[in-house]
Amino acid sequence: MSNSDTEPLKIVLLLDALRVERWVRELLEELRACDFVELRRVILNERPVAMRSTNPLLRSYESIDRGLVAGPDDPLALVDVSDLLQDVERESAQVLEAEALESIRACGADVVLRFGFQGPAGALSKLTTFGVWTHRPADLRSYDGATPGFWEISDDNDVTGECLIREATGGDRILMRSLGATDKTSLQRNRGASARRAARLVPRCLRIAYLQGAQGLTAVEAEHSDSGKPRKRGRPGLFSTVLFLGRLATRLLNNRLSNRLRRNQWKIGWRRFQENTLAPIQVDSFRFLEPPPGHFHADPFGIRVDGRSFVFFEDLDFTRGRAGISCIDIDAQGQPGEIHPVLERDYHLSYPFVFQHAGEIYMMPETEENRTLELYRAIEFPTRWELATTLLENVQAADATLHVEEGRTWLFVSLGSGVDTLANELHLYFADSPLGPFTPHPRNPVVSDVTRARPAGTLFRRNGLLIRPGQDCAHLYGWGISLNRVDVLSETDYRETPLEHIDPSWYPEGNGTHTLSRFGSLELIDVRTRVRR
């Protein structure tokens, strides 16, 4: 079932009070700006149940942590939403019984968004087109969400999840989940980042319900379905809190000492490869370019021009604190030539995706610091380039990667915001030409998982399968590479399945590897180590 284009989804909102956490207000602001939803009614709980920890040590830590890290836009701060709901019908109820249920039925609600009224949905779930939706602050494959963010930090779990649940009498179903990296140094920050991910899940699922109806939601549920049972972890007692605080303090101290004594050093390597294979990533199978003092090299991409192999890469100068793009050519014996700087701007450049189109050579570097995605054309290859066009504007876009499939150009890119890391979400665009204009995919973001979302190099074929490398940034930024099989790639749908993982242990003392690309007969990779300052 799907609503027509002129009939917005009718939403009923359940709240415990008109003062809500800021992330809920941000969600309501986005819903008010959507032309496909209409807030029809708000039901306020006359007798909300206060959920407060009885653990005095944990309460004290939470208060101190909030005071230290919570900023003016803290997503967990309580704010008023009465101004957003002035024109929305409002009523109060003590429990969701006959009168309140009849009110919901009478307004023909498509979805009930529940941010109040504890307890099972019961008969409420049968009164709407698409059910009762609520969020669960946990990745339900690991935790039950009893104490949001706590056990993920305590257990040193790299991932903190957030789920949007569709409640039903026959059992709750996960509509959609989002997985982000655990902030292991602050419970307040970890909870806040998770809450903001929760706010983004609701409009995404509402858009799918509006455009594709029940069939679309069923497909999303199948994609995010949960196959395991979470560990039942109750509210932490004093002993668990003491262990938590000890681990937190140790982690903070180790991070501070490590950052004062060492810094990241990236370098790039290359090797020959055979079509349709991926040989084990081993240090002795690659040749490496050692960066000069005060530099690191990362994000290698290559291109064949006039029978010669050229590799472009991010070249960061520690003294400037900013990177440009440099290039080397590699001869038939695999020996590198001289390093040539080829593109500098007054903002950071990285991830120089290079390609040929219609007899011209183009480069699409990451220009996220400039809030653009820029495309450059070679006017004197490989050292002189001019800006050809700006593909995306007013966005934070990282690691954009092009792939041409059956005459269609697909643009994979990680998009973020000021409150979001660029590692969590993969967006997809399509066009008739690599030069654009690009149309955003209706399922964006097509991946919301910090272990594989951010692009990590060129897509390639292996045994007939299309493989998309994605960065695993859960443990650390750029920690590893996930190889994902692209199962569906169309203008209406995208699905992929993780197949393999490359962690940095292949390199002695490696603590990061985040780009794997191919061109001609060469395979390129980068690796990160920690070196003394």
Side-chain angles (χ1 to χ4, degrees), residues 50-64:
M51 302 295 290
R52 190 184 182 197
S53 171
T54 58
N55 182 334
L57 182 58
L58 182 57
R59 287 206 309 271
S60 296
Y61 163 73
E62 289 172 333
S63 177
I64 294 170

Side-chain angles (χ1 to χ4, degrees), residues 208-365:
I208 292 170
Y210 178 70
L211 295 175
Q212 303 176 21
Q215 183 178 2
L217 288 180
T218 299
V220 172
E221 277 186 354
E223 184 179 349
H224 294 271
S225 62
D226 188 40
S227 58
K229 292 184 178 180
R231 287 176 281 180
K232 293 294 183 181
R233 305 294 292 268
R235 299 186 178 279
L238 288 175
F239 179 71
S240 297
T241 306
V242 169
L243 289 179
F244 168 85
L245 294 176
R247 291 165 181 160
L248 201 67
T250 301
R251 196 175 293 129
L252 285 166
L253 181 60
N254 287 341
N255 288 349
R256 178 164 295 186
L257 288 175
S258 176
N259 290 334
R260 291 190 66 177
L261 297 175
R262 295 178 178 272
R263 67 183 177 194
N264 292 329
Q265 174 70 65
W266 288 91
K267 64 181 177 180
I268 62 173
W270 59 93
R271 69 176 180 182
R272 299 285 176 185
F273 78 92
Q274 295 180 350
E275 200 69 36
N276 277 331
T277 65
L278 181 65
I281 303 295
Q282 296 175 335
V283 65
D284 58 3
S285 65
F286 285 91
R287 293 189 177 186
F288 293 94
L289 179 68
E290 294 296 334
H295 288 250
F296 77 49
H297 298 156
D299 295 343
F301 288 90
I303 192 169
R304 290 275 294 175
V305 177
D306 296 331
R308 298 171 62 192
S309 297
F310 295 87
V311 175
F312 294 80
F313 52 91
E314 172 191 353
D315 188 347
L316 186 137
D317 184 342
F318 286 118
T319 60
R320 295 176 62 231
R322 179 180 293 139
I325 304 302
S326 291
C327 172
I328 59 169
D329 64 286
I330 297 177
D331 65 23
Q333 288 70 46
Q335 295 294 333
E338 296 294 320
I339 298 174
H340 299 287
V342 300
L343 187 62
E344 295 279 352
R345 287 292 181 266
D346 58 359
Y347 42 87
H348 180 84
L349 302 176
S350 60
Y351 204 84
F353 187 92
V354 289
F355 63 96
Q356 294 191 45
H357 173 70
E360 303 273 9
I361 301 173
Y362 294 90
M363 181 199 305
M364 186 175 62

Side-chain angles (χ1 to χ4, degrees), residues 43-44 149 200 202 205 337 360 400 471:
I43 301 179
L44 291 173
R200 293 193 290 272
V202 174
C205 284
E360 303 273 9
Q471 290 188 43

Side-chain angles (χ1 to χ4, degrees), residues 68-173:
L68 289 174
V69 306
D73 63 343
D74 176 26
L76 304 180
L78 292 178
V79 295
D80 188 80
V81 292
S82 56
D83 60 312
L84 295 177
L85 305 174
Q86 287 180 348
D87 59 345
V88 181
E89 295 180 14
R90 188 185 307 174
E91 61 182 275
S92 298
Q94 294 183 7
V95 290
L96 292 176
E97 291 185 344
E99 186 175 345
L101 294 178
E102 174 58 25
S103 171
I104 293 171
R105 187 199 64 78
C107 74
D110 291 300
V111 176
V112 171
L113 294 180
R114 186 220 282 261
F115 297 101
F117 292 92
Q118 299 295 320
L124 180 60
S125 61
K126 300 178 181 179
L127 300 178
T128 65
T129 309
F130 301 115
V132 180
W133 299 1
T134 187
H135 86 289
R136 196 70 57 81
D139 173 16
L140 296 186
R141 293 175 299 187
S142 304
Y143 299 98
D144 58 10
T147 305
F150 178 93
W151 293 110
E152 289 88 340
I153 297 175
S154 183
D155 293 346
D156 201 28
N157 192 319
D158 292 334
V159 173
T160 295
E162 190 75 32
C163 293
L164 181 63
I165 303 296
R166 176 153 63 172
E167 302 183 62
T169 53
D172 296 347
R173 297 293 301 271

